[in-house]
Amino acid sequence: MADDTFDRVRAGGIASILTVHDAATITDVVDALADGGVSAIEVTLRTSAGWDAIERLGGRSDVVVGAGTVLTPGDARRAVDLGSAFVVSPGLDPAVVEETLAAGALPLPGIATPTELQRALQLGLTALKLFPAEPLGGVAMLKALAGPFADVSFMPSGGVTPALLESYLAQPNVFAVGCSWLVTAELVSAGRFDEIRTRARDAAALVAARG
């Protein structure tokens, strides 16, 4: 299951990072993203509504749903039980990784240093989140890591703006990019789902151009 999930996220090239304030809006939001060509959805657990949103999305086959900001093994297990196919953490916690793997989902822990990356390799992981990507050096950091860690691929997030997306997608060691700007609280509260669809379509076009 974890391998299939990785392939789906990699094929989509983008993970839309959602911080949900009202789970009742999640269907409209994800419909707009999917219509625009974005199929990987990371629902953060920064709000209590995130749990409900994940559960509401769990049965959809047109998108692959993950949980973000997962900080404990218990939250990892609960997220997978509710339908998360992947589990994203800001940092590397072996207990969270092990619980995610035991639940049959894909762990994507965040790393910020080569030392953390080597620890992730010891856990058998070769797909990781680079966080926070831009403060760490962005594309230059990815290029620096590509030499000594040629078999590792990354999902960078944190500070990746629309203007920077294409440069991240161009990196051979990037399998997807986490984007929080596709959906904002302001767009959702105003019901501007057409704008979300347009943003998703523009981002997906950059993925398609990558080949």
Side-chain angles (χ1 to χ4, degrees):
M1 177 179 170
D3 288 344
D4 291 343
T5 298
F6 173 78
D7 289 341
R8 289 187 68 185
V9 176
R10 180 177 58 182
I14 292 170
S16 179
I17 302 172
L18 308 181
T19 298
V20 180
H21 298 281
D22 180 3
T25 64
I26 195 64
T27 297
D28 289 334
V29 168
V30 173
D31 283 349
L33 288 168
D35 287 347
V38 173
S39 58
I41 312 296
E42 177 189 331
V43 179
T44 72
L45 299 181
R46 298 178 185 181
T47 65
S48 58
W51 294 109
D52 189 10
I54 291 170
E55 188 170 18
R56 291 178 185 229
L57 295 173
R60 294 185 64 142
S61 59
D62 59 334
V63 294
V64 55
V65 179
T69 322
V70 179
L71 303 178
T72 69
D75 281 354
R77 173 63 68 168
R78 181 183 177 191
V80 176
D81 287 346
L82 289 177
S84 296
F86 60 97
V87 170
V88 184
S89 302
L92 178 64
D93 183 336
V96 172
V97 169
E98 290 164 7
E99 188 67 27
T100 302
L101 289 171
L106 173 68
L108 292 173
I111 65 97
T113 68
T115 299
E116 292 171 349
L117 202 165
Q118 288 187 226
R119 290 174 182 164
L121 290 174
Q122 292 169 3
L123 296 172
L125 305 180
T126 56
L128 301 166
K129 173 180 180 174
L130 181 68
F131 179 80
E134 268 300 293
L136 289 172
V139 167
M141 177 69 160
L142 288 162
K143 289 179 176 179
L145 293 173
F149 302 105
D151 296 329
V152 178
S153 56
F154 298 94
M155 182 173 76
S157 69
V160 182
T161 64
L164 295 172
L165 178 58
E166 189 171 11
S167 63
Y168 274 90
L169 289 170
Q171 304 311 307
N173 59 345
V174 169
F175 70 89
V177 180
C179 301
S180 59
W181 46 266
L182 293 171
V183 179
T184 66
E186 292 75 19
L187 289 177
V188 175
S189 62
R192 295 174 59 192
F193 301 110
D194 285 343
E195 173 65 19
I196 293 172
R197 185 177 293 105
T198 297
R199 292 185 182 193
R201 186 176 295 120
D202 290 345
L206 293 178
V207 175
R210 178 178 68 169

